[in-house]
Amino acid sequence: MQIAADANVEALEGGAHGEHQDLRFFGLVIFLLSEGMIFVGLFAAYIIYRLLSPAWPPEGTEELEVLLPGINTVILVSSSFVIHQADLAIKRDDIKGVRLWFGLTALMGAIFLAGQVYEYMNLEFGLTTNRFASSFFLMTGFHGLHVTVGVLLILGVLFVARKPESFSSDRHFGIEAASIYWHFVDVIWIVLFLLLYIW
Amino acid sequence: MQILGTSAIAALGLVISFWYGEHNGLLPAQASTEAPMIDDLFNAMMVAVTAIFLLVQGAIVYSVIRYRKRKDDNADGPHIEGNVLLEMVWTVIPAVIVLWLAIYSYDVYELTGKKEVMAHVQGHDSMVAMASHTHSASSNSSDVMLAQIETLSEDDPLVVEVAGMQYAWIFTYPDSGVVTGELHVPVDRKVRLDLSANDVLHAFWLPQFRIKQDTIPGRRTELSFTPTTPGTYPVICAELCGPYHGVMKTQLIVHEPDDYTAWYDTAKVELAGVDPDALATRLSRAAHARAATGGVDIDATTVARVQAQISDLHHHSTHAG
Amino acid sequence: MAQAQLDSPGSFSVNLPDPHGGSTPWQEFFSFSTDHKVIGIQYLVTTFVFYLVGGALATLIRAELATPEVDVVSYETYNTLFTVHATVMIFLWIVPALTGGFGNYLVPLLIGARDMAFPRLNAIAFWLIPPAGIMLLSSFFVGAPGSGWTSYPPLSLINGKPGEALWILSILTLGTSSILAAVNFLVTILRMRLPGMKLNDMPLFCWSMLATSLMVLISTPVLAAALIMLAFDLLAGTSFFNPANGGDPVMYQHMFWFYSHPAVYIMILPAFGMISEILPVHARKPIFGYKAIAYSSMAISVLGLVVWAHHMFTSGTPDWLRLFFMVATMIIAVPTGIKIFSWLATLWGGKIRINSALLFAVGFLSVFVIGGLSGVMLASVPVDIHVHDTYFVVAHLHYVLFGGSVFAIYAGFYHWFPKMTGRMLNEPLGILHFVATYVGFNITFLPMHKLGLLGMPRRVAEYDPQFSLINLICTIGAILLAVSTFPFIINAIWSWIGGEEAGDNPWDGLTLEWTTSSPPIHENWESDPVLTVGPYDYGLARSDAAQPAAESVA
Ligand code: HEA
Ligand code: HEA
Ligand code: CUA
Ligand SMILES: [Cu+2]
């Protein structure tokens, strides 16, 4: 019966059922790992296509330009550090800081997307030109979709955060969620960049 | 007494397993050198599998009868949570059986499949050598050909190109350009099939030879076997390739060497640079499907297209050597 | 929730469990309920309806195959029949019934939680299923997909766009549902167990759901990737898999089986888990070798990720890969064997109460083993080369999927129906159901082994007349099998309305679901349940007080 008593004490303190904040974060991480497996599937297919092809990109398709995407990469990677500042800010109950850093991150994300669109418009190949082109558009496009969702998520948090009492050092799942998601998008991009542009 | 009884039952089970493994009657006739090896493997597996089957079913039936709850007995059974020794036993024994199966399967695979690939490489080279030789000698007489075939070692396979298309198989003998809808080969000579597909995936299956290989558009695959028994055998498409997948069948005719030569001689006259309509009639099963449904139409254009593709492939393979 | 109970600390003494404590108004079953029990039942009923649809399609398949000629349906229609049959059975019946249905209903109850970790997500996962199912079935109006449930390109790219597109969309939706559910299970099992319940104290069903969820999370997204690529080839004209433009059709096969092999374990591990719950209760003996069973589930889920190419032994796969996948596949027989033998040892020496639930559970043992053994034979490359894409494979897959998963689901229905509805199922009807199913099943599928070995390929509407007799036998078996469903349907409906009252714990089970009312109340327990006995502590002297009953702070 001792266990029983302990159990109830713990329940009272929110130990057993109260910690939903924590569960949501855990759940989100698991979901993102799973989501990452879609990219792993696409990456694996790309790697094998490349290894099995005599020439890559196939003859007649130029190598990808690295400069603009390189700049884009720097922007996206830095934005991960920027959004991390928001995480730190809310732990100090600094809601203004959150607004600042989230706003900056959203801006950087938007610049990244604009750069991506600009790159698309200046490519010589189209979606169906060859396997390389198709893979390029599918992978960057699918990633771009994730960036878009991330920006919308950040804007959503910003919208909520316009009220000063919206988040605090002990209640800020929205902020954590948006930033972990943003880190995820960032990591995927790094792999994608290495595969598509550098290799 | 109980030990005696148990061992008697175990012995009986083993006897049944061994008997059934050898007499299961589940496999069709054997017509290639590979078939007996694969069947031995299959039968050996049947022995193991039957023994395990009997053990498990026996234990179930015995438990349910012997340990069924009796009237008015509402007590629980004994509190036994496990037994490390027993658990080791039923981990290790299956592991050993599985290991044996893997090794045995690997062995048979080496003998029937993998080695072939090695042999092919050699066989392929000499085939090309032979091909260029015949070309340079510009000799078309069947006597010379036959002499050449005989001087080449056993390892030199008869090469036939096979194209799968919805819903027929087309066979091309690259040495002579003979094109047929049925496969003719001599007995006891190794055959190598170079497989390709024109539209979708198909699979070339010879049940009596225990071999099967998918044909893949844009890729070449191959298959080797040595027929051992003259006769007529079904060739079946085993990969779903469309509504009429089920009617994509033809025949493999294994001839005595003399009969084969005779067939080949006539074929060279009648079937080299074959007339598309003649081929179309040869695609008997496909024609059958057309008759049955009005659906499939293997018309002259299709056949011409296929022939173009075949000669393309032929070209390709002679160069690739 | 914890508060509610503390507000009235004395309630346990006056609140005797009311037999209808948890009865749910019927409207709630048609609503966006977030109660895991309602959602579990929603899953079970919905998927069972899909099962009937899939079974009706199977009955049409068998009708066509009763004679060698093509007479009942056209060649084209035949291909849509087996394609939709298999898709419905796998994606709309077995997967959602086992994970969504039993998983949702049982996991929180077994670990002493009030609900799943994310109740709303749970409801969303369920409500994705009906639209996906309707989408798939509506393809019959635009030309249903006819490329098999494997949907290999290039055939799937030329067989009719609308049907194929609906198929892809439907599977993507179902995959999403499955991933959401798996996230929920993982978090619930890892984080919401009753305080004091360590992983090794969990009922084995939870272990199997843990292993299943891991596989879902790792492999389902790869299927999504493959289907997205397939959709682009189909609709946008890209050439990932289309050889006409230099694509690689074999790549699709790798990606497809990277999911679909694990999927077969997704369809059997929860079934294993249910058997591990059901056998000890009715044999009145502890589960034999708890840890071995628990860890073998994990072993199967890890191994299951590296065997996929055993479906591709004739696809031009290189030798070393074939042999690697052969050995890896065969090894899975070892952890599976551990389970089988442990269940046999659980029965051995027990006081077996023979009833419908137990019969289906031992029926499962009996037929699943046949399917497992034929699986090991398929794993052997030389033999598989002969029998690949024949009725031998069809026999194998029905032995494991019907003999395995469906038998286990039936066992689960008989075992937990009293908990879910508060009513007992009728025993004589249940036994009739079992006998007809067991006999019909074996008549239908056992002869198929021989068909395949002798030379009958699968997925054909027309076959060589030499196979007529065996096919006729299969068809007769299939009719018996279809008819065997009726006693169950009648029994379930009739008993739900007017069956004998079940009480909290009709089987004297020791797991936590039996400590609450039948059906359980909202949030499952009046007060937090207490672990006084282990889940399988049969045969220990128990004081009456220790009998599982809702206990509270004493
Ligand atoms: C529930 C689903 C399920 C399960 C559990 C399994 C389990 C297994 N399957 Fe099966 N399989 C399918 C569903 C399933 N399969 C489906 C649907 C297909 C066809 C797909 C399609 O093409 O449409 C298929 C096809 C399939 C193939 C490809 C056939 C082909 O197309 O050519 C292979 C080949 O290796 C295979 C192997 C196995 C093995 C080795 C197991 C093992 O896990 C079995 C392990 C179990 C046992 C072995 C029995 C118990 C063990 C003992 C009693 C111990 C002692 C045993 C020994 C020592 C051997 N399966
Ligand atoms: C869990 C999975 C599952 C289940 C339960 C079944 C159940 C059945 N299956 Fe299926 N089957 C598959 C999965 C499954 N199958 C798969 C994966 C394939 C491969 C497909 C492919 O090649 O792509 C396949 C293929 C397949 C074939 C091979 C087709 C071919 O290759 O050409 C056949 C042939 O006999 C068949 C038959 C049956 C039968 C007779 C049943 C019976 O058990 C069904 C019993 C019937 C019922 C339980 C229904 C009862 C009710 C009624 C008849 C009344 C209906 C009334 C109303 C709806 C109001 N199945
Ligand atoms: Cu060609 Cu099936
Ligand atoms: Cu598999």
Side-chain angles (χ1 to χ4, degrees):
Chain A
M1 294 306 104
Q2 187 51 42
I3 314 174
D6 286 352
N8 277 307
V9 170
E10 204 175 324
L12 188 64
E13 292 166 355
H17 302 292
E19 282 186 325
H20 274 244
Q21 175 111 351
D22 175 41
L23 291 189
R24 278 186 298 177
F25 190 73
F26 185 44
L28 181 67
V29 170
I30 291 172
F31 177 78
L32 288 180
L33 288 176
S34 183
E35 180 91 5
M37 282 303 294
I38 302 188
F39 284 100
V40 171
L42 295 175
F43 293 164
Y46 177 83
I47 291 170
I48 292 165
Y49 283 149
R50 169 162 188 160
L51 292 178
L52 294 182
S53 299
W56 197 262
E59 275 174 60
T61 305
E62 13 82 272
E63 294 266 340
L64 288 168
E65 175 69 50
V66 184
L67 181 63
L68 174 72
I71 297 172
N72 242 352
T73 305
V74 173
I75 294 175
L76 197 65
V77 173
S78 337
S79 71
S80 246
F81 292 96
V82 174
I83 203 165
H84 185 60
Q85 294 307 310
D87 256 357
L88 296 180
I90 195 62
K91 294 208 171 105
R92 298 187 306 263
D93 279 315
D94 174 9
I95 192 89
K96 287 213 184 79
V98 170
R99 285 184 209 137
L100 170 69
W101 299 117
F102 261 56
L104 198 56
T105 311
L107 187 68
M108 291 167 92
I111 293 174
F112 174 89
L113 284 173
Q116 189 74 261
V117 171
Y118 178 82
E119 188 189 6
Y120 278 9
M121 301 207 311
N122 290 286
L123 284 171
E124 301 215 328
F125 50 78
L127 176 62
T128 59
T129 306
N130 54 37
R131 228 164 11 162
F132 168 75
S134 304
S135 308
F136 171 83
F137 280 109
L138 184 60
M139 282 156 65
T140 54
F142 197 54
H143 176 264
L145 194 70
H146 281 76
V147 178
T148 313
V149 170
V151 171
L152 291 177
L153 218 64
I154 290 171
L155 293 178
V157 171
L158 272 178
F159 182 74
V160 175
R162 75 194 186 285
K163 297 211 191 86
E165 72 284 8
S166 51
F167 296 106
S168 67
S169 53
D170 50 71
R171 218 168 45 78
H172 52 264
F173 173 68
I175 291 173
E176 272 185 327
S179 54
I180 187 89
Y181 183 86
W182 195 254
H183 294 317
F184 163 76
V185 167
D186 204 7
V187 170
I188 296 288
W189 175 258
I190 293 172
V191 181
L192 209 160
F193 181 74
L194 291 175
L195 277 180
L196 278 175
Y197 294 92
I198 303 296
W199 184 24
Chain B
M1 238 359 253
Q2 212 190 342
I3 293 185
L4 255 163
T6 318
S7 11
I9 290 174
L12 183 66
L14 280 177
V15 169
I16 294 176
S17 307
F18 276 98
W19 183 85
Y20 187 67
E22 295 306 321
H23 300 88
N24 55 63
L26 291 171
L27 290 158
Q30 303 170 336
S32 67
T33 49
E34 292 77 12
M37 290 188 263
I38 292 169
D39 290 4
D40 284 350
L41 169 61
F42 178 84
N43 291 342
M45 288 206 281
M46 278 311 282
V47 174
V49 157
T50 309
I52 297 168
F53 169 83
L54 291 175
L55 177 72
V56 173
Q57 309 297 342
I60 294 172
V61 172
Y62 180 81
S63 303
V64 170
I65 294 173
R66 168 82 171 69
Y67 300 115
R68 70 184 187 282
K69 168 186 165 336
R70 307 301 151 106
K71 234 193 171 108
D72 299 327
D73 179 1
N74 285 322
D76 283 357
H79 184 84
I80 302 169
E81 292 188 331
N83 178 326
V84 177
L85 185 66
L86 211 52
E87 289 173 45
M88 299 267 276
V89 167
W90 66 51
T91 309
V92 171
I93 291 181
V96 170
I97 297 179
V98 155
L99 201 70
W100 163 74
L101 265 182
I103 292 172
Y104 190 178
S105 302
Y106 179 85
D107 247 27
V108 173
Y109 188 60
E110 284 261 295
L111 289 171
T112 58
K114 206 174 173 214
K115 268 239 180 82
E116 298 293 337
V117 176
M118 316 295 271
H120 289 167
V121 181
Q122 298 157 359
H124 194 68
D125 288 343
S126 42
M127 188 274 293
V128 174
M130 182 188 81
S132 53
H133 182 75
T134 21
H135 277 292
S136 57
S138 73
S139 156
N140 271 333
S141 123
S142 68
D143 298 356
V144 177
M145 272 291 290
L146 196 66
Q148 268 174 340
I149 288 168
E150 265 155 19
T151 49
L152 292 165
S153 81
E154 290 260 72
D155 268 331
D156 287 300
L158 168 69
V159 178
V160 183
E161 286 166 4
V162 183
M165 55 178 271
Q166 287 175 323
Y167 300 96
W169 297 106
I170 307 241
F171 303 95
T172 307
Y173 292 71
D175 297 337
S176 57
V178 166
V179 177
T180 77
E182 288 176 349
L183 180 56
H184 292 258
V185 298
V187 73
D188 289 334
R189 172 159 175 217
K190 180 171 285 176
V191 178
R192 193 185 87 215
L193 303 178
D194 283 351
L195 305 155
S196 62
N198 295 342
D199 32 42
V200 297
L201 300 168
H202 304 272
F204 187 90
W205 181 30
L206 294 168
Q208 282 72 11
F209 295 65
R210 315 284 189 271
I211 52 171
K212 181 184 290 120
Q213 173 60 53
D214 288 6
T215 67
I216 304 166
R219 241 192 230 199
R220 282 188 151 261
T221 48
E222 52 180 55
L223 203 55
S224 298
F225 60 96
T226 310
T228 53
T229 321
T232 302
Y233 304 98
V235 174
I236 297 171
C237 176
E239 180 67 59
L240 180 63
C241 55
Y244 304 97
H245 158 60
V247 298
M248 185 166 162
K249 292 180 199 167
T250 182
Q251 291 180 337
L252 162 63
I253 297 117
V254 178
H255 296 280
E256 294 290 357
D258 292 346
D259 296 347
Y260 176 72
T261 320
W263 173 81
Y264 197 55
D265 284 341
T266 346
K268 267 186 295 189
V269 179
E270 288 179 2
L271 298 176
V274 86
D275 163 340
D277 289 329
L279 179 58
T281 34
R282 267 167 211 287
L283 305 174
S284 49
R285 285 301 291 182
H288 177 82
R290 177 179 48 195
T293 66
V296 214
D297 218 335
I298 301 193
D299 56 16
T301 28
T302 319
V303 174
R305 192 190 78 214
V306 171
Q307 285 211 300
Q309 274 158 336
I310 288 171
S311 66
D312 251 22
L313 287 168
H314 177 42
H315 221 68
H316 199 78
S317 75
T318 357
H319 279 287
Chain C
M1 316 159 202
Q3 265 75 6
Q5 148 229 335
L6 286 165
D7 285 341
S8 50
S11 62
F12 63 92
S13 53
V14 282
N15 250 5
L16 287 173
D18 149 23
H20 291 288
S23 52
T24 311
W26 65 269
Q27 295 92 333
E28 193 169 341
F29 289 107
F30 294 87
S31 72
F32 189 81
S33 170
T34 55
D35 181 333
H36 73 99
K37 299 180 294 298
V38 175
I39 295 177
I41 291 172
Q42 285 175 325
Y43 264 108
L44 288 175
V45 173
T46 312
T47 55
F48 190 79
V49 171
F50 283 121
Y51 173 52
L52 292 183
V53 174
L57 294 170
T59 311
L60 273 174
I61 292 177
R62 283 318 318 171
E64 172 55 62
L65 295 176
T67 60
E69 300 81 32
V70 174
D71 33 29
V72 177
V73 295
S74 70
Y75 287 96
E76 286 85 355
T77 312
Y78 181 80
N79 288 8
T80 66
L81 288 184
F82 65 73
T83 302
V84 180
H85 159 67
T87 310
V88 166
M89 288 296 196
I90 288 176
F91 293 101
L92 289 161
W93 161 234
I94 303 292
V95 173
L98 279 174
T99 59
F102 285 105
N104 256 313
Y105 198 93
L106 295 176
V107 165
L109 282 168
L110 289 173
I111 62 174
R114 302 279 180 178
D115 205 313
M116 296 284 285
F118 311 112
R120 244 173 310 147
L121 194 69
N122 204 10
I124 292 172
F126 167 73
W127 283 103
L128 288 173
I129 303 240
I134 290 166
M135 208 143 60
L136 179 71
L137 294 178
S138 67
S139 70
F140 274 112
F141 298 106
V142 295
S147 312
W149 81 283
T150 48
S151 202
Y152 282 2
L155 184 64
S156 54
L157 298 172
I158 61 176
N159 246 354
K161 265 185 197 172
E164 186 66 22
L166 279 172
W167 183 85
I168 293 176
L169 198 60
S170 164
I171 306 284
L172 282 175
T173 314
L174 293 166
T176 309
S177 157
S178 176
I179 290 176
L180 296 181
V183 171
N184 224 336
F185 285 125
L186 210 61
V187 177
T188 308
I189 295 172
L190 291 180
R191 291 294 174 84
M192 294 184 52
R193 272 168 287 129
L194 208 59
M197 183 189 275
K198 300 198 197 57
L199 281 175
N200 278 337
D201 303 327
M202 287 196 304
L204 286 161
F205 181 74
C206 302
W207 273 105
S208 72
M209 285 306 296
L210 199 62
T212 306
S213 303
L214 282 173
M215 301 194 94
V216 169
L217 292 168
I218 293 175
S219 62
T220 314
V222 177
L223 177 72
L227 293 182
I228 291 170
M229 290 160 81
L230 189 68
F232 269 89
D233 276 6
L234 181 76
L235 303 172
T238 54
S239 44
F240 293 111
F241 306 133
N242 191 350
N245 309 315
D248 184 355
V250 178
M251 174 71 80
Y252 172 84
Q253 299 181 14
H254 280 291
M255 296 179 81
F256 178 84
W257 289 114
F258 184 84
Y259 166 74
S260 290
H261 179 79
V264 310
Y265 295 115
I266 291 168
M267 291 185 278
I268 204 67
L269 283 175
F272 287 168
M274 280 159 56
I275 298 298
S276 298
E277 300 305 331
I278 295 167
L279 286 180
V281 176
H282 299 285
R284 310 309 301 162
K285 252 188 85 211
I287 191 81
F288 194 98
Y290 172 94
K291 282 194 184 165
I293 295 183
Y295 300 161
S296 63
S297 292
M298 303 309 281
I300 290 174
S301 91
V302 172
L303 280 170
L305 290 171
V306 292
V307 300
W308 73 89
H310 64 217
H311 297 272
M312 301 168 57
F313 285 152
T314 69
S315 302
T317 311
D319 283 322
W320 67 273
L321 265 182
R322 294 194 206 191
L323 295 169
F324 168 79
F325 281 108
M326 170 175 86
V327 176
T329 304
M330 286 182 171
I331 292 174
I332 297 193
V334 177
T336 316
I338 291 175
K339 286 178 187 290
I340 301 276
F341 294 124
S342 302
W343 290 323
L344 290 175
T346 304
L347 288 172
W348 197 272
K351 305 240 166 142
I352 301 172
R353 299 182 180 170
I354 297 173
N355 53 38
S356 316
L358 179 102
L359 284 174
F360 269 105
V362 295
F364 162 95
L365 279 185
S366 156
V367 284
F368 173 77
V369 164
I370 301 177
L373 294 173
S374 65
V376 172
M377 302 178 85
L378 285 168
S380 167
V381 178
V383 171
D384 182 66
I385 287 176
H386 175 52
V387 295
H388 172 66
D389 268 336
T390 68
Y391 264 81
F392 191 84
V393 177
V394 176
H396 161 70
L397 75 88
H398 287 94
Y399 264 89
V400 282
L401 276 172
F402 194 111
S405 317
V406 178
F407 270 65
I409 290 176
Y410 278 138
F413 271 134
Y414 284 98
H415 187 71
W416 282 292
F417 189 89
K419 180 52 58 184
M420 294 176 179
T421 63
R423 306 281 184 170
M424 300 303 285
L425 280 163
N426 176 292
E427 270 302 316
L429 271 179
I431 289 170
L432 174 67
H433 175 214
F434 170 73
V435 172
T437 307
Y438 189 86
V439 174
F441 171 78
N442 284 297
I443 297 180
T444 311
F445 296 111
L446 195 63
M448 288 186 186
H449 293 101
K450 182 160 183 164
L451 277 180
L453 288 161
L454 285 180
M456 179 163 163
R458 62 194 280 203
R459 298 173 165 174
V460 296
E462 184 209 84
Y463 55 87
D464 193 299
Q466 73 173 109
F467 303 125
S468 332
L469 177 63
I470 304 183
N471 268 295
L472 188 62
I473 295 172
C474 296
T475 299
I476 292 169
I479 293 168
L480 179 54
L481 197 50
V483 171
S484 77
T485 319
F486 290 106
F488 173 73
I489 299 175
I490 294 167
N491 196 351
I493 295 175
W494 185 24
S495 304
W496 202 335
I497 297 168
E500 190 192 323
E501 300 258 343
D504 291 357
N505 192 359
W507 311 125
D508 301 322
L510 294 182
T511 35
L512 287 171
E513 78 272 31
W514 305 111
T515 62
T516 181
S517 57
S518 304
I521 54 168
H522 190 63
E523 308 241 302
N524 300 344
W525 288 273
E526 296 279 344
S527 54
D528 275 349
V530 181
L531 279 180
T532 49
V533 289
Y536 306 111
D537 280 347
Y538 298 97
L540 283 186
R542 283 189 303 273
S543 70
D544 254 11
Q547 284 285 354
E551 289 211 16
S552 192
V553 201

